[in-house]
């Protein structure tokens, strides 16, 4: 009987000690930093159609990424060959308030070979800016005489970014 009492008492003490939670000092943890968010990218595409109703076509893609800037790439697979003294020039346009920005000369396959290989007979217009130009939702390609006049000349293709 005495063994039973000691065994019961030992088990009771063992169970009591298991049920008692040890004292723990609570330490306030450092706040978890908020996850860095990826910069938002604004992507736009435009299908370009002939202003004169011809077969010429093109496409333009623009994007803006905060911290990196605005980029534009316009491709023209089937423009007519240029006559001597003329070049194609790209433009982005915002209606309100009016803003017209040249995106520069469109390069043919020979001019673009080192920086942007394209098919023979095709043209490409690329442009970069630190400024967000995604509010310039119209793209225009013009045929320009090489006369030094910076104003846009004859419209060839146009389209609206969406």
């Amino acid at each position: 009987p005495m063994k039973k009492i000691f065994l019961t008492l030992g088990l009771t003490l063992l169970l009591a000690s298991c049920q008692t939670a040890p004292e723990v000092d609570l330490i306030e943890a450092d706040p978890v930093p908020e996850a860095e968010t990826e910069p938002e990218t604004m992507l736009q595409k435009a299908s370009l159609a002939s202003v004169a109703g011809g077969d010429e076509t093109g496409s333009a893609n623009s994007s803006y990424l905060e911290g990196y800037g605005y980029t534009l790439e316009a491709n023209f697979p089937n423009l007519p060959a240029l006559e001597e003294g003329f070049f194609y020039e790209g433009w982005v346009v915002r209606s309100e308030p009016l803003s017209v920005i040249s995106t520069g000369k469109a390069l043919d396959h020979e001019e673009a070979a080192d920086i942007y290989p394209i098919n023979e007979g095709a043209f490409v217009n690329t442009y970069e800016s630190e400024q967000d130009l995604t509010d310039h939702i119209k793209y225009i390609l013009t045929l320009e005489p090489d006369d030094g006049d910076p104003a846009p000349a004859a419209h060839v293709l146009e389209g609206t970014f969406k």
Side-chain angles (χ1 to χ4, degrees):
M2 197 64 157
K3 275 184 169 177
K4 254 185 174 176
I5 292 175
F6 284 122
L7 184 58
T8 306
L9 183 58
L11 286 173
T12 305
L13 288 174
L14 181 62
L15 288 174
S17 69
C18 289
Q19 293 175 355
T20 307
E23 281 191 37
V24 177
D25 290 334
L26 296 179
I27 301 172
E28 192 169 320
D30 291 334
V32 176
E34 290 185 29
E36 289 185 29
T37 57
E38 291 289 322
E40 186 174 332
T41 302
M42 173 74 153
L43 299 171
Q44 299 176 313
K45 296 181 178 196
S47 293
L48 308 174
S50 173
V51 174
D55 293 333
E56 302 87 5
T57 60
S59 63
N61 297 306
S62 71
S63 65
Y64 177 76
L65 179 60
E66 191 172 324
Y68 294 92
Y70 175 86
T71 60
L72 171 109
E73 176 189 309
N75 294 286
F76 316 102
N78 60 348
L79 293 175
L82 290 167
E83 294 181 22
E84 185 69 32
F86 286 86
F87 64 95
Y88 291 113
E89 185 172 3
W91 306 84
V92 287
V93 179
R94 179 183 64 211
S95 297
E96 294 292 328
L98 182 62
S99 173
V100 179
I101 297 174
S102 171
T103 58
K105 179 181 177 182
L107 305 176
D108 66 21
H109 73 282
E110 290 176 358
E111 296 168 313
D114 290 338
I115 56 170
Y116 195 93
I118 55 175
N119 293 333
E120 187 172 339
F123 288 81
V124 64
N125 178 220
T126 60
Y127 180 76
E128 295 180 357
S129 173
E130 291 180 7
Q131 183 181 358
D132 181 1
L133 298 176
T134 55
D135 61 347
H136 289 63
I137 63 168
K138 189 167 196 168
Y139 181 88
I140 299 172
L141 184 73
T142 58
L143 176 61
E144 301 285 334
D146 196 3
D147 60 4
D149 183 354
H155 291 205
V156 178
L157 299 173
E158 293 184 3
T160 302
F161 288 108
K162 298 180 183 189

